[in-house]
Amino acid sequence: MPAPGLRLEIAADGAQTAQFLGLYQALDGFDEEAAQSRVGCPRLCFAGSADVIPYGPGWGGVTVDMAGPLTRDRARLEAAGWQVQVLDGLDHTGAMQPGAVLPVLRPWLAEVCAG
């Protein structure tokens, strides 16, 4: 895991960049509310509270905020059937480590499998 404050630059070849572009273009106009009503399985979402990724000029200077929507829209997500967990103090890399994921996933799976 990078040290706090360390900025990593990630390079992608043209094919990978095209794949990302295709994904985001396909999501443009996606009707999340309509899709939510058709999902019947148990749902869990989680991210670290510091999971905000600023990309440099090579990536268009965009910022991907995973934590904000979970925090801001928590009530709406839970009303749609999601269990939402925000892992305090963790960034994107920290929130995907086994030590962070397993304590969230194990009890959720136990609950889902028991029901």
Side-chain angles (χ1 to χ4, degrees), residues 73-99:
D73 299 331
R74 183 179 200 134
R76 182 182 64 80
L77 289 165
E78 289 175 342
W82 287 87
Q83 288 189 26
V84 178
Q85 294 206 23
V86 179
L87 308 177
D88 192 37
L90 297 179
D91 64 8
H92 190 71
T93 303
M96 70 171 86
Q97 298 302 312

Side-chain angles (χ1 to χ4, degrees), residues 45-53 64-74 77 84-92 95:
C45 58
F46 63 93
S49 64
D51 192 343
V52 179
I53 308 166
V64 176
D65 181 3
M66 300 295 284
L70 295 187
T71 302
R72 185 176 53 252
D73 299 331
R74 183 179 200 134
L77 289 165
V84 178
Q85 294 206 23
V86 179
L87 308 177
D88 192 37
L90 297 179
D91 64 8
H92 190 71

